[in-house]
Amino acid sequence: MRFFAHESCGQCTPCRVGTAKAAQLMEAPQWDSSLLDDLAQVMGDASICGLGQAAPNPIRCIQKYFAHEVS
């Protein structure tokens, strides 16, 4: 997620703020899954470019396939 935060152009708020917030939330020992789900939904729906729309994919994949590792 830090990659997406670093590569964000900063033009749209969902990408600029969302990727930084997601990276911060993902560093916690236990994830706040509902908050990350909401954040992923907003980033995917409201980001202008493909980078912001693709940024939530790692969150979704980890929650789907490796939820036992972060809960």
Side-chain angles (χ1 to χ4, degrees):
M1 190 54 60
R2 288 188 301 251
F3 167 79
F4 290 107
H6 181 265
E7 292 298 316
S8 174
C9 72
Q11 185 175 358
C12 65
T13 303
C15 183
R16 180 182 66 243
V17 175
T19 55
K21 181 69 173 177
Q24 179 187 17
L25 290 170
M26 291 173 78
E27 290 177 3
Q30 287 200 324
W31 287 10
D32 184 345
S33 294
S34 63
L35 182 57
L36 280 167
D37 285 340
D38 291 343
L39 190 58
Q41 185 68 40
V42 169
M43 285 193 299
D45 291 345
S47 292
I48 296 170
C49 72
L51 183 119
Q53 294 167 357
N57 291 345
I59 297 169
R60 292 179 177 138
C61 287
I62 291 170
Q63 287 181 326
K64 182 175 181 179
Y65 298 110
F66 303 102
H68 61 282
E69 298 284 336
V70 294
S71 57

